[in-house]
Amino acid sequence: MAASRQPQLGELLAEARRAFREEFGAEPELAVSAPGRVNLIGEHTDYNQGLVLPMALELVTVMVGSPRADSLVSLLTTSEDADDPRRLQFPLPTAQRSLEPGTPQWANYVKGVIQHYPAVSLPGFSAVVVSSVPLGGGLSSSAALEVATYTFLQQLCPDSGAIAARAQVCQRAEHSFAGVPCGIMDQLITLLAQKDHALLIDCRSLETSLVPLSDPKLAVLITNSNVRHSLGSSEYPLRRCQCEEVARALGKESLREVQLEELEAGRELVSKEGFRRARHVIGEIRRTAQAAAALSHGDYRAFGRLMVESHYSLRDDYEVSCPELDQLVQAALSAPGVYGSRMTGGGFGGCTVTLVEASTASQAMQHIQAQYSGTATFYLSQAADGAKVLHL
């Protein structure tokens, strides 16, 4: 069985240029891309100031466009999964009039970045968005669109901010325009990723370190359950609130500062549910540090064990898995050549990530699909580069 064939960057760029010509009657002058990401381990730790270990994917969002003489923004997306309308026009924000989120939802990510972009003299522009990152699959189509937008705006009107500040603008856009109180991981990996490496991110200090991931005998398999989730639903903000309540009850700024022994000692101070949520986060931060070390040493079996522990913790303590994800993980763990597997992303649907021997990846996919009650989509991806300016 083969992984789903995804369009290459050159094909996406050609599609975007074609759509721009048809919509605006001219060739675009600018082009950028930003990747989706998969988090190998470290789930729901970023907004708790913990550690995460994502890698960028070869699935990307491309934005092409040109400046305009007026102060309007005219957008088109070719994504069939995006909500309607697929094209819209709105004026740039001014000191008197801010942009507001609205419909379509996909455009809110673009609007949010425009609203929070640090330069004051943005020109109007026309742009087309084309993407191979699946929407709602837990592979951060939102951060790919935010960072693509930011990188595009830099070509129109350069900024002087550090990379961390750029990531924070994109994060703020997601908070205020999509209503998702996400951590900083997705935006940082999308900006900073390097080919053949995962990136260990400390979400408290924003320090990052590259972890080699280039062994040709190893494959990273992403399996989309094709169960859609919306992180804007009540569960994601609720988990974040629960974590903050436990940290407060224990007199700490965040769960990053809490040791497992301290949580056990303070069990009476927190709810049973809060205790389980915190136990996941504290354990997951420790697992992520151990996993980065294991990957650095090429100890794939240890890495795989930590992935499985992570999944069970997300399922039982954090309660963000679902029957489809559990089924995919169990199927993967009984497939040949698999080191480990876990749900990835916010949960309640989306994808699993599996570390597997490259030589058995095809058999593993076949085995997983045979065991899965739904229809899965498979992606095999190398660790890819972050956002970049494309030459037309």
Side-chain angles (χ1 to χ4, degrees), residues 228-303:
R228 289 283 293 269
H229 74 291
S230 168
L231 287 184
S233 68
S234 59
E235 292 297 328
Y236 186 103
L238 177 61
R239 294 298 182 282
R240 184 165 185 159
C241 283
Q242 289 169 331
C243 292
E244 289 166 354
E245 282 169 10
V246 173
R248 266 198 306 275
L250 298 176
K252 305 288 187 179
E253 189 182 325
S254 73
L255 290 180
R256 174 68 180 276
E257 299 172 16
V258 181
Q259 300 300 314
L260 207 50
E261 299 75 26
E262 293 174 286
L263 179 65
E264 292 282 1
R267 187 189 275 261
E268 300 305 315
L269 301 173
V270 302
S271 68
K272 287 181 180 177
E273 199 172 61
F275 177 85
R276 292 200 309 275
R277 304 294 187 251
R279 182 168 60 186
H280 162 73
V281 171
I282 295 163
E284 187 79 346
I285 292 170
R286 188 189 68 244
R287 281 188 289 272
T288 304
Q290 293 170 342
L295 196 57
S296 297
H297 298 127
D299 189 347
Y300 305 138
R301 292 192 188 286
F303 192 96

Side-chain angles (χ1 to χ4, degrees), residues 72 94 106 116 143 145 176 184 188 209 211 225 236 265 268 286 301 313 329 375 377:
L72 294 176
T94 64
W106 66 268
H116 296 300
L145 181 52
S176 58
I184 196 75
L188 274 178
S209 52
V211 181
S225 66
Y236 186 103
E268 300 305 315
R286 188 189 68 244
R301 292 192 188 286
S313 177
V329 167
T375 302
T377 309

Side-chain angles (χ1 to χ4, degrees), residues 173-188:
E174 189 145 347
H175 286 190
S176 58
F177 276 70
V180 180
C182 62
I184 196 75
M185 167 181 68
D186 296 346
Q187 293 79 11
L188 274 178

Side-chain angles (χ1 to χ4, degrees), residues 28-70:
E29 298 172 30
L30 305 168
V32 300
S33 69
R37 65 94 189 98
V38 65
N39 192 21
L40 299 173
I41 194 166
E43 215 64 75
H44 288 279
T45 53
D46 60 345
Y47 54 81
N48 288 293
Q49 298 190 13
L51 303 176
V52 291
L53 187 65
M55 71 174 219
L57 298 171
E58 293 162 308
L59 301 167
V60 294
T61 292
V62 170
M63 181 180 266
V64 303
S66 299
R68 298 169 60 110
D70 56 24

Side-chain angles (χ1 to χ4, degrees), residues 315-334:
R315 182 191 67 188
D316 301 336
D317 275 353
Y318 220 64
E319 296 181 281
V320 291
S321 189
C322 63
E324 294 88 353
L325 292 175
D326 295 339
Q327 199 177 63
L328 287 172
V329 167
Q330 291 309 313
L333 294 178
S334 62

Side-chain angles (χ1 to χ4, degrees), residues 353-373:
V353 59
T354 302
L355 204 65
V356 60
E357 291 173 5
S359 61
T360 63
S362 180
Q363 289 169 268
M365 286 185 271
Q366 209 159 0
H367 178 84
I368 293 167
Q369 183 56 77
Q371 302 283 315
Y372 182 46
S373 57

Side-chain angles (χ1 to χ4, degrees), residues 34-36 56-58 60 189-196 382-388:
L57 298 171
E58 293 162 308
V60 294
I189 182 64
T190 304
L191 283 160
L192 282 170
Q194 285 189 27
K195 185 175 166 58
D196 294 334
Q382 302 297 311
D385 281 320
K388 58 179 79 169

